Amino acid sequence: MVAAFIFILLFGTYVTLHREHRRSSLILFTISMILVTLLFLHHATDRLGLSF
Amino acid sequence: MNGRTRLDRISFFLLHIWVLGVCGVVIGAFLVQLLGSELPCPLCLLQRMAMLLAAMGPMFIIRRTSVVGSDATSDFSTGFGMSILASVLGLAISGRQTLLHILPGDPGYGGAVFGLHLYTWAFVVFLVILLVSGLTLASGSLMVVGSRPGRSGAWSRITSVVFSVVILGNVVSTFVESGTEWFLPDNPTNYELLQEFREFLDARSSAGDQSVQKAN
């Protein structure tokens, strides 16, 4: 569900590209990047038992 | 047509090729998933996300210059900055998965396409995106797309539709694969949502049978 939510966020970022102001696109892009990084860290450290 | 306009057009065209190329790679992964019955692992999905984020940069430039008609130079650098950040993240993810299966005798995850596994191809794609972004930014103002307000042509619309369909396809596919679980298992073996739906139907039918037996 977390991965599906990130894809929805990516779609939201795409939708904001149609807006006149670019701030919302950049904010959503940054949030998506952070969430992808956190999900990657979660899966990368899963076997180590770090419970990230 | 002067040289500036021709370069402008070539640069604008290449941005579309970039987005469509990334969409083609993700569609290829979809085909392997659907036709080859290979479920994407969590790292595979993360690589798809990073690819779509890397394509968000050129999409940003296309939308900003053609629809909004804004200051082209700053949007150009912002778009390529977005692509570079996403491709560095993608390189880390695909590099990690490649290293997981690098030991001799390891069969790797999933089947190989043209001799390489999908995560190795993803590593190559992210490397190419990084190189192209770096070279384009290094070329200075040579490749900057000029402002083209109100000129969203057929190619821009097609690229936009393909990009959005690929993202929405991933939303549906990931939701069906993960079901109501927060995180995917390392080696997914079935579509969790379909499995949960089957179990729900079985539970309902067995509850119905029990109530009929009690009534008798």
Side-chain angles (χ1 to χ4, degrees), chain B residues 76-95:
Chain B
F76 201 73
S77 53
T78 304
F80 278 100
M82 288 160 81
S83 291
I84 288 173
L85 287 173
S87 48
V88 167
L89 180 59
L91 274 175
I93 299 167
S94 53

Side-chain angles (χ1 to χ4, degrees), chain B:
Chain B
M1 186 192 294
N2 60 29
R4 175 67 257 176
T5 315
R6 194 180 298 128
L7 266 178
D8 210 56
R9 283 192 168 193
I10 291 170
S11 182
F12 197 62
F13 174 72
L14 289 177
L15 289 174
H16 290 75
I17 294 294
W18 180 330
V19 178
L20 289 174
V22 170
C23 288
V25 172
V26 179
I27 289 170
F30 255 127
L31 290 178
V32 171
Q33 176 186 345
L34 298 174
L35 302 179
S37 301
E38 284 183 17
L39 291 177
C41 64
L43 291 176
C44 304
L45 287 178
L46 284 165
Q47 285 159 52
R48 288 187 194 181
M49 290 171 195
M51 271 189 201
L52 292 173
L53 279 168
M56 203 69 81
M59 200 68 227
F60 175 81
I61 300 170
I62 291 169
R63 299 302 306 178
R64 296 291 301 169
T65 51
S66 63
V67 176
V68 183
S70 62
D71 173 24
T73 312
S74 80
D75 286 333
F76 201 73
S77 53
T78 304
F80 278 100
M82 288 160 81
S83 291
I84 288 173
L85 287 173
S87 48
V88 167
L89 180 59
L91 274 175
I93 299 167
S94 53
R96 203 261 177 181
Q97 195 170 10
T98 307
L99 290 175
L100 275 178
H101 302 289
I102 205 165
L103 285 177
D106 191 313
Y109 186 86
V113 179
F114 301 121
L116 294 177
H117 285 92
L118 289 181
Y119 42 84
T120 316
W121 278 120
F123 190 85
V124 174
V125 168
F126 287 122
L127 210 55
V128 169
I129 291 175
L130 204 58
L131 284 173
V132 170
S133 303
L135 286 172
T136 313
L137 286 177
S139 70
S141 61
L142 196 67
M143 297 295 281
V144 171
V145 179
S147 182
R148 315 155 70 90
R151 291 179 63 184
S152 179
W155 272 110
S156 297
R157 284 196 293 271
I158 290 170
T159 307
S160 201
V161 168
V162 171
F163 188 60
S164 58
V165 167
V166 167
I167 298 177
L168 286 176
N170 272 296
V171 171
V172 174
S173 157
T174 309
F175 184 60
V176 172
E177 192 184 347
S178 63
T180 53
E181 297 291 325
W182 284 109
F183 299 104
L184 278 170
D186 282 344
N187 294 304
T189 51
N190 57 345
Y191 289 102
E192 198 61 37
L193 191 69
L194 299 180
Q195 182 72 25
E196 287 169 5
F197 188 63
R198 262 187 234 116
E199 285 169 5
F200 171 73
L201 289 180
D202 288 345
R204 259 190 89 175
S205 64
S206 63
D209 290 344
Q210 282 175 358
S211 62
V212 168
Q213 282 173 356
K214 277 182 184 174
N216 289 335

Side-chain angles (χ1 to χ4, degrees), chain A residues 10-52:
Chain A
L10 286 182
F11 187 72
T13 310
Y14 162 76
V15 170
T16 57
L17 295 181
H18 298 72
R19 289 192 175 185
E20 196 174 336
H21 297 290
R22 61 186 222 161
R23 194 190 301 159
S24 49
S25 309
L26 297 180
I27 289 171
L28 281 180
F29 176 83
T30 309
I31 293 172
S32 307
M33 281 287 292
I34 291 169
L35 287 181
V36 173
T37 309
L38 290 177
L39 189 58
F40 170 52
L41 288 177
H42 167 79
H43 286 298
T45 58
D46 205 24
R47 293 180 188 182
L48 304 175
L50 297 177
S51 302
F52 182 79

